[in-house]
Amino acid sequence: MSFAPVLHSEWLKIRTLRSLPGTLLALFAATTAFSAIAGGSETSDPEFDPLFMALSGVMPGQIAAVSFGATAVSSEFHGGALRLSLAAVPRRGRWFAAKATAIALPVLAVGLVTALAALVAARAGLGDAANGLTSGEQVRGVVGCGIYLTLMALLAAGLTALLRSGAGALSVLIPFVLVVSFVIGDTAGGATDFLPDRAGQVVLYETYDGSLGPWSGLAVTALWTAAALLAGAWSLRRRDA
Amino acid sequence: MTSIEVRDLTKEYGTRRAVDDLTFDVLPGRVTGFLGPNGAGKSTTMRLVLGLDRPTSGSATLGGHAYATLREPLRHVGALLDAQAAHGSRTARDHLRTLAASNRLPQRRADEVLEETGLAAVARRRVRTYSLGMRQRLGIAAALLGDPGVVMLDEPSNGLDPEGIIWIRRLLRRLAGEGRTVLVSSHLMNETASFADHLVVLGRGRLLADTPMREFIHARVRPRVRIRTTDPAALTSALARGGHDAVEHEAGHWTVEHARVDDIGRLVSAAGVPVLELSSEEATLEQAYLDLTSTETEFTAQPQEA
């Protein structure tokens, strides 16, 4: 059994579940809107980072990416859907790889477009304040943002497969992503820099002074994601469907 | 055509033994009824055949191959396990198209099986709007998608209306007539009697019977004759002379156990007993099943989780 038909099937599943394309639309709309608002607001913060200000819509927007990953997997854990899927594709590792690919590709595509739109929208408001940004920094921010959103969606997908519940995965991730970032904020250093969301978000800043750079930060997030996906795949292969 | 081979199959969930050392074959060209009370292990056995659950010991194969090793398994085996498996937000057609794509089945198969199961008119409606009977039909459509040689249906008549029950009976007979291997689980006796050629009966995970249905009934239920007369005294003495015992019933008729209608008819006619009614009482699968399970009392009235 080859990979392409399984991927095709998983892609059709995502496309034909109306809430999933809707979640990607929400990702685009929320991120762009919040970036535009951030770009238009007055700031007197001396540590103002124009790149992060432009891409700050990702902070609320990533919730949509996380929901997308969780929902795409959790739809398999209702009323025997997983049994039907695995009866059609008994190679569970291959099936889960196809599922993850079918989640990653649309999030990456929408994530890149979203980051670009957010940057453009925010720069319209920032005006001269953003003139210091080099084109290299802006490309890095947009590409990094797309990768970051993809990794977060896959992290949610892996956790959902492990916990066999989308609600379970979201109730772990959303407090993790939202609360930890807001409560601990910029003050704490050290270990919190290595949390999956904070590590990956370094790529959204023009300047960074922590232990992680933009790409090494994304690599740390990628390790978290890989761990979640492997744990999900392990659970799927080991347990009765 | 492919048969299903179950060998020494055992499945334990924790300490509970859901399937206990089962060995039987399901052969092509006939409908095998899979009987047993709820919790007897029918659904578990089906999941083990499909490789969805891992056996504790033993094996279940299809034509000698484990299910997981089949390339594009929907072309070989079609199964209905749970009518709720289709996502409520998808249309029936999209549901079948996603399944078809995974096994490289042509997309037109989705429309063909929708037509075959009588769902063509509602194919573009979301599954959430379907009745239980329509969901059953969709589950059967999914099972038929790959035109498989082996069809396994778990309680397919659940929720079907009378018309649907007649439809499924004909469908099962036709599938077997085409030489396919058909395994249908049920806890409804009369329903199973209407389509099965062969029976596999489980109780508490163990194999209780694996016989042709007619044989199963005749071995367990003795023939009985029902007779009505205006002259009970003449009837009983005539029967007594022939060595038969007659039992009177409140409704005014008599029954003769262990007797065939041909013998009793001749006997009472020769004795000149006036007869209003004379008939043989057909043994039913239900009687045979109850006879089997009453000898194995531990299998009756023991509700378990499915």
Side-chain angles (χ1 to χ4, degrees), chain A residues 76-176:
Chain A
E76 298 284 348
F77 293 106
H78 290 293
L82 182 67
R83 287 181 183 144
L84 193 63
S85 297
L86 294 182
V89 185
R91 303 287 176 86
R92 298 184 184 189
R94 184 167 300 177
W95 176 79
F96 192 55
K99 176 73 89 188
T101 310
I103 291 169
L105 294 179
V107 176
L108 182 62
V110 173
L112 290 172
V113 172
T114 298
L116 188 63
L119 183 68
V120 169
R123 285 206 59 173
L126 285 169
D128 293 343
N131 284 348
L133 284 174
T134 67
S135 49
E137 283 164 345
Q138 294 180 66
V139 169
R140 185 249 290 166
V142 168
V143 172
C145 183
I147 294 173
Y148 171 73
L149 289 169
T150 308
L151 291 175
M152 291 306 280
L154 288 175
L155 179 66
L159 264 183
T160 305
L162 179 65
L163 301 174
R164 306 199 138 206
S165 152
L170 288 180
S171 61
V172 170
L173 273 181
I174 290 190
F176 202 42

Side-chain angles (χ1 to χ4, degrees), chain B residues 115-274:
Chain B
E115 190 71 48
E116 194 174 348
T117 52
L119 292 174
V122 292
R124 286 162 201 273
R125 264 171 56 183
R126 294 214 235 176
V127 174
R128 134 168 358 117
T129 66
Y130 279 25
S131 67
L132 177 57
M134 290 157 85
R135 285 173 202 238
Q136 288 284 3
R137 285 172 184 261
L138 178 58
I140 293 164
L144 300 177
L145 196 60
D147 195 18
V150 178
V151 178
M152 284 199 297
L153 308 176
D154 196 2
E155 305 273 359
S157 4
N158 258 1
L160 288 182
D161 53 18
E163 191 193 339
I165 287 176
I166 294 167
W167 167 75
I168 189 128
R169 194 179 296 165
R170 289 197 184 130
L171 173 73
L172 295 172
R173 299 298 327 155
R174 182 177 58 106
L175 292 172
E178 290 164 355
R180 297 177 214 258
T181 304
V182 185
L183 179 66
V184 185
S185 83
S186 180
H187 60 271
L188 302 175
M189 299 302 141
N190 293 338
E191 188 44 37
T192 306
S194 70
F195 55 65
D197 305 299
H198 194 90
L199 293 177
V200 171
V201 186
L202 299 190
R204 285 231 182 159
R206 268 181 269 161
L207 186 70
L208 300 186
D210 175 8
T211 49
M213 187 172 70
R214 285 286 130 217
E215 241 171 66
F216 179 79
I217 295 173
H218 290 312
R220 304 208 155 260
V221 182
R222 306 247 160 58
R224 194 157 85 147
V225 173
R226 173 192 164 99
I227 189 164
R228 221 150 49 82
T229 179
T230 51
D231 188 353
L235 176 71
T236 46
S237 65
L239 288 172
R241 263 179 276 126
H244 294 284
D245 277 332
V247 182
E248 187 175 13
H249 293 265
E250 277 180 32
H253 68 271
W254 296 72
T255 53
V256 189
E257 303 284 336
H258 314 292
R260 299 195 318 131
V261 72
D262 306 32
D263 302 330
I264 300 299
R266 288 205 186 88
L267 194 76
V268 295
S269 158
V273 180

Side-chain angles (χ1 to χ4, degrees), chain A residues 159-210:
Chain A
L159 264 183
T160 305
L162 179 65
L163 301 174
R164 306 199 138 206
S165 152
L170 288 180
S171 61
V172 170
L173 273 181
I174 290 190
F176 202 42
V177 169
L178 279 179
V179 177
V180 171
S181 293
F182 279 121
V183 169
I184 298 177
D186 300 326
T187 55
T192 54
D193 285 351
F194 290 86
L195 288 173
D197 58 323
R198 291 185 60 84
Q201 285 164 14
V202 175
V203 83
L204 308 177
Y205 289 85
E206 185 188 10
T207 52
Y208 40 90
D209 48 11

Side-chain angles (χ1 to χ4, degrees), chain A residues 1 5 8-9 12-13 16-18 75 79-81 83-84 86-92 237-238 240-241, chain B residues 11 13 47 51-54 67-68 71 73-74 82 84-85 87 89-90 94-95 97-98 101-104 126:
Chain A
M1 182 168 237
H8 180 206
S9 167
L12 270 179
K13 278 188 196 170
T16 55
L17 214 53
R18 213 175 286 180
S75 63
R83 287 181 183 144
L84 193 63
L86 294 182
V89 185
R91 303 287 176 86
R92 298 184 184 189
R237 291 175 61 112
R238 204 183 128 268
D240 289 334
Chain B
K11 175 67 180 177
Y13 295 104
R47 289 202 300 275
L52 294 171
D53 288 15
R54 262 172 249 286
Y67 186 85
R71 272 180 65 87
L74 297 185
D82 189 339
Q84 309 301 329
H87 198 290
S89 303
R90 244 179 230 120
D94 283 341
H95 171 69
R97 275 157 38 104
T98 63
S102 68
N103 278 237
R104 293 192 306 134
R126 294 214 235 176

